[in-house]
Amino acid sequence: MSGRVCASILQRASSYTSTLSKPTARLQYSHQCNSSSWGPCRSDTVRLTGEESGKWPHSRRYRSTHQNLDFQLSRVQINSILRSNEQSVSVPEFDGRGLSAVRRFESNQLAANTPNEDRRSAATCLQSKGMLFGVFDGHGGWACAQAVSERLLSYTAVAMMSKQSLEELEKCMERGRAVPPILQWYKQHADFNYRESASLYIDHLRVFWQELLDSEEQGDGMSPLDALHYSFKRLDADISLEAQVPFYNDLIKSTAIQVAFAGCTACVAHVCADWIHVANAGDCRAVVGVLEEDGSWSALPLSQDHNTQNQAEVERIKTQHPPSERDTVVTDDRLLGILMPLRAFGDVRFKWSLELQRSILASLESRVDLDSLNLYQYTPPNYLTPPYLDVAPEMTHHQLRPQDRFLILGTDGLWDELGNEEAVRLVGEHLSGIHLQAPVSPSERQMKLGQMHEFLLKRQALAAPALDTNAATHLIRHALGTAEYGGLSQERLATMLALPEDLARLYRDDITATVVYLNSDLARPEHG
C-alpha cells in the first residue's frame, strides 16, 4: 500500500471508542482465631465489598461473593511467583556514540487478570541517541496493550531519525536489502509478538517514514518531545485505520479489530544524556527518585494521572462537548459511566460514530464469533457527540541533575497500592542499603509507654532488610505485602498471591514496574 493511498484512507478514517472499566473491591476478613488480621487461619472468610456499580455493558459474573479459601503459601512459593517475570539489564557505559545516561534497569510484572493485560517495553535508539522505556495498561483485554508495546517505540524512534537515515531505510526496502536496525530491544523471556501481523506493522511503519521523508521539516529529525507526541497520535490513527480496511487474512482482520476495540493507557520515557522526556496518556505514572543533601529521598513526578481525580482533565473533556452533556460525559467517576482512564489508545467505542462501529462489527460477525473475540454489541449511554476520548499524550521534560538517581515507571496497579514518596523511598533504600530514620522529636519522647512501643515497632519494620535483588520486585512485594507499622506481612502477601483467578482481579490489579538507574555522573550540577 503506497504512502499516498494510505494517507488518503487515513483522512477518511474518522473518530473512535472504548471498552470496560476495571472492577475493584476490598478484602475483609473475619477471624475465629487470635493471629494477625491477615493470618492464614483455616477459619478465615473472604467477603467482597465495594461491588461493581453495574456499569459493565456485558455481564462479567464471579462464582461467589463468599467462599472459604486456603491462603497458605510458603516463602519459596511466594518468591517463585513474585520473581517469575523479573528482568535485569546492565547497559554498556559507552556504546560507540557516547556515554549512556542509563546504567541499568530492572523490571517486573505480576498478573491479576488471566491473561495479564499489562505490557512493558525497553529499547536503545540505534539511529539517534537515548533509550526508550514504556509501560502499557490494557483494558477490555490485552490485545491493544500488546500491539502498542510492540509498535510505539519504533514509531518514536523513526520520528527522531534524520532525513538522511530515513532515506537509507527506504533505499534498503526498495532494493530488498537488509534494513539497518532502528532499535535494540530488551526482551524478557515471557514477551511475545503478533507474528501474523508483523508484516502489516512494518508496512505501516514504512508509510510513516515515507510521509516524514515528504515533509519539509524533518531535517535532523524531530525533538524527543515532538516525536513522542506525534508517534502516540499516529499509531492510534493506524490502529483505527487497520480495523476499517479489508484484509485477505481473517486472522489479521480479527486481530486488528480486537486491538482497536480494546484499549490501553501508556507512559513512555525517553532518557538521554541531559534530559528525561515523558509522554503519558492515561493513569500509568513516571516518577524520579531524588537523593537529597541530608540523605533522604524525595519523589519528583513527571506525569499526571488522566482520570476523574484530575479535575483539570475532567474539565478538559467537558469543554469538548455541548453544555447539555456536562452532567453525562463523566458519571460515576468514569467516562460516560464506563471507562476510568480519560486518555487511551484504541477504545474505538468512545471514538468512532455508532454507524461505523456497527458496520465494522457486522462485517466481522459473518466470519468470526464476536463473543470469542471478547467483542460485544453495546452502545455507551449518552453517546451523542463522539469522539469522547483521544490518545494525545501530556508531555513533560526534566533536565537531569546529579541528585536524580532513578526513574520509576509503573502501571496504575502499582500506584493503587503505593504513593510516589513511598515508592521512591523503597527503591532509594534498596539502592543504598541504608534506611534513614528521622531523629526522635521532643514530642515523641513524651509518648506514653504503649505509644512508644508502637512507634518503635514501626521504625523497626521500616528498617527491615530487602529480600529481593531486583528493585521492581521489591516494589511489588511491598505494594501487596505492607501491613501494620509499615512492615511486610508474610500472611498478607500470601493471601494476595493465593487468590484464585476468578477473585484476584477483585482485590488487586495487574502490576508492572520498571526502575531505570540513571548515570548521575553525566548530569550537570545546578548553579544558584
Side-chain angles (χ1 to χ4, degrees):
M1 186 185 300
S2 73
R4 309 293 188 281
V5 174
C6 191
S8 65
I9 297 175
L10 192 58
Q11 290 173 357
R12 295 198 305 272
S14 51
S15 19
Y16 312 18
T17 207
S18 152
T19 81
L20 317 173
S21 57
K22 299 177 178 178
T24 55
R26 293 193 312 277
L27 212 55
Q28 292 187 349
Y29 294 86
S30 58
H31 295 265
Q32 287 76 43
C33 65
N34 296 320
S35 66
S36 157
S37 62
W38 289 91
C41 306
R42 295 298 177 111
S43 57
D44 286 354
T45 301
V46 178
R47 182 157 55 90
L48 307 191
T49 64
E51 293 181 1
E52 245 319 90
S53 61
K55 295 295 183 182
W56 288 78
H58 181 265
S59 168
R60 182 172 177 178
R61 302 186 183 280
Y62 295 90
R63 289 197 199 82
S64 68
T65 56
H66 225 142
Q67 40 180 304
N68 294 322
L69 302 169
D70 181 358
F71 291 119
Q72 294 192 8
L73 289 178
S74 70
R75 288 183 183 272
V76 172
Q77 289 173 311
I78 288 172
N79 290 339
S80 177
I81 293 169
L82 286 176
R83 296 171 182 169
S84 61
N85 292 310
E86 280 185 335
Q87 182 184 28
S88 297
V89 176
S90 294
V91 178
E93 186 175 2
F94 185 78
D95 64 1
R97 298 172 300 156
L99 290 169
S100 173
V102 175
R103 294 182 183 274
R104 70 183 191 277
F105 68 91
E106 296 167 347
S107 186
N108 200 358
Q109 293 184 300
L110 180 70
N113 290 290
T114 305
N116 188 358
E117 294 182 352
D118 278 5
R119 294 293 186 270
R120 58 186 168 180
S121 296
T124 294
C125 299
L126 296 176
Q127 306 293 331
S128 60
K129 292 185 177 180
M131 293 185 68
L132 289 164
F133 300 91
V135 292
F136 312 96
D137 186 355
H139 46 264
W142 50 266
C144 189
Q146 175 62 39
V148 173
S149 70
E150 288 182 42
R151 305 176 69 183
L152 182 59
L153 271 56
S154 296
Y155 277 61
T156 303
V158 162
M160 290 191 292
M161 288 171 61
S162 68
K163 203 161 192 175
Q164 182 179 350
S165 297
L166 293 175
E167 286 171 348
E168 180 62 24
L169 291 184
E170 184 59 23
K171 285 178 184 176
C172 290
M173 292 290 282
E174 288 175 350
R175 298 170 186 177
R177 299 203 313 256
V179 175
I182 297 168
L183 292 170
Q184 177 186 339
W185 290 91
Y186 301 98
K187 296 288 187 180
Q188 199 262 352
H189 66 84
D191 293 345
F192 67 96
N193 290 340
Y194 277 129
R195 292 182 182 177
E196 295 79 7
S197 301
S199 61
L200 170 68
Y201 293 169
I202 292 171
D203 286 346
H204 277 193
L205 183 64
R206 183 184 182 188
V207 169
F208 180 40
W209 81 54
Q210 286 174 341
E211 293 179 10
L212 292 175
L213 280 170
D214 288 342
S215 168
E216 297 290 333
E217 302 174 0
Q218 187 64 15
D220 293 331
M222 294 184 190
S223 69
L225 281 177
D226 288 343
L228 284 163
H229 187 274
Y230 194 57
S231 61
F232 269 62
K233 296 284 287 183
R234 177 53 185 252
L235 177 56
D236 197 49
D238 280 356
I239 287 171
S240 174
L241 169 68
E242 289 157 9
Q244 297 176 54
V245 298
F247 290 109
Y248 66 90
N249 183 311
D250 284 352
L251 181 57
I252 293 177
K253 178 66 174 177
S254 60
T255 298
I257 291 178
Q258 272 187 292
V259 168
F261 276 81
C264 84
T265 62
C267 186
V268 176
H270 174 263
V271 184
C272 59
D274 298 319
W275 295 86
I276 298 177
H277 308 92
V278 173
N280 183 56
D283 48 13
C284 297
R285 198 179 300 172
V287 180
V288 171
V290 181
L291 180 61
E292 302 293 352
E293 289 185 3
D294 63 359
S296 65
W297 293 94
S298 65
L300 175 65
L302 294 186
S303 66
Q304 296 187 75
D305 297 350
H306 300 132
N307 54 31
T308 56
Q309 302 306 305
N310 182 339
Q311 289 305 309
E313 184 70 4
V314 172
E315 191 60 29
R316 179 187 70 85
I317 290 177
K318 287 184 175 181
T319 57
Q320 294 176 349
H321 299 275
S324 59
E325 293 186 62
R326 282 191 66 83
D327 294 334
T328 59
V329 171
V330 176
T331 59
D332 295 331
D333 290 330
R334 291 170 171 84
L335 185 64
L336 296 180
I338 297 175
L339 189 68
M340 294 183 72
L342 302 181
R343 303 191 196 194
F345 280 94
D347 281 331
V348 294
R349 287 198 199 277
F350 291 93
K351 298 174 179 177
W352 285 352
S353 68
L354 288 177
E355 293 74 21
L356 179 58
Q357 292 181 47
R358 290 165 182 159
S359 67
I360 295 298
L361 291 177
S363 70
L364 188 67
E365 194 172 19
S366 60
R367 296 178 290 177
V368 181
D369 176 23
L370 294 184
D371 282 356
S372 68
L373 298 180
N374 199 31
L375 296 173
Y376 312 108
Q377 299 271 14
Y378 76 93
T379 302
N382 302 299
Y383 198 75
L384 306 172
T385 56
Y388 288 89
L389 183 72
D390 66 43
V391 78
E394 190 167 13
M395 310 301 304
T396 57
H397 60 283
H398 171 67
Q399 186 165 14
L400 288 171
R401 308 163 298 175
Q403 62 265 40
D404 300 327
R405 297 306 175 91
F406 54 83
L407 170 70
I408 303 173
L409 292 172
T411 56
D412 71 332
L414 178 71
W415 307 111
D416 286 345
E417 309 295 338
L418 295 175
N420 293 352
E421 296 288 345
E422 186 179 7
V424 164
R425 179 186 63 79
L426 285 166
V427 174
E429 292 172 1
H430 185 271
L431 174 63
S432 65
I434 298 172
H435 176 75
L436 190 68
Q437 296 273 20
V440 178
S441 67
S443 62
E444 288 167 339
R445 292 195 186 102
Q446 305 301 315
M447 287 191 282
K448 295 180 180 178
L449 185 61
Q451 293 173 317
M452 179 61 75
H453 178 67
E454 287 198 8
F455 173 72
L456 293 175
L457 282 174
K458 183 174 182 178
R459 287 169 70 92
Q460 181 182 17
L462 290 173
L467 300 174
D468 303 290
T469 58
N470 185 302
T473 307
H474 184 65
L475 281 174
I476 294 172
R477 185 186 295 270
H478 280 262
L480 297 183
T482 299
E484 196 174 11
Y485 307 123
L488 275 171
S489 165
Q490 187 81 0
E491 292 80 10
R492 186 181 197 280
L493 194 55
T495 298
M496 297 301 284
L497 295 178
L499 287 166
E501 290 180 2
D502 63 326
L503 290 177
R505 186 58 192 87
L506 289 173
Y507 306 113
R508 59 182 175 86
D509 197 357
D510 300 326
I511 300 176
T512 296
T514 297
V515 180
V516 181
Y517 294 97
L518 304 169
N519 189 351
S520 56
D521 294 341
L522 293 181
R524 299 171 184 171
E526 288 183 303
H527 299 288

